[in-house]
Amino acid sequence: MTAEANAIIAGLGGAGNIIDIEPCITRLRTEVRDASKVDREALRAAGVHGVMVAGNVVQVVVGPEADTIAGDIGDVIG
């Protein structure tokens, strides 16, 4: 797993806060249990290009490596 994936998991409030994650070209489409645990600054520090939150859906713009990062995160959260 990459350090970037670990940092994104932490920025999303930890593995226990992530319900679902899917890659979509350049983004990670994520559903979280508690959107208030999402730390935009931590995600930016992890190198993401943008974060959009609507309700419990969080889109994290990571670039063309979205498939790889989503796979790494999926390995952690099961």
Side-chain angles (χ1 to χ4, degrees), residues 20-54:
D20 188 34
I21 190 161
E22 298 178 4
C24 181
I25 305 174
T26 61
R27 298 171 184 219
L28 302 172
R29 292 186 180 182
T30 307
E31 182 179 1
V32 296
R33 295 182 201 298
D34 183 353
S36 71
K37 292 183 178 178
V38 174
D39 184 340
R40 292 173 188 246
E41 293 303 317
L43 289 168
R44 289 237 181 235
V48 306
H49 304 294
V51 179
M52 289 156 277
V53 180

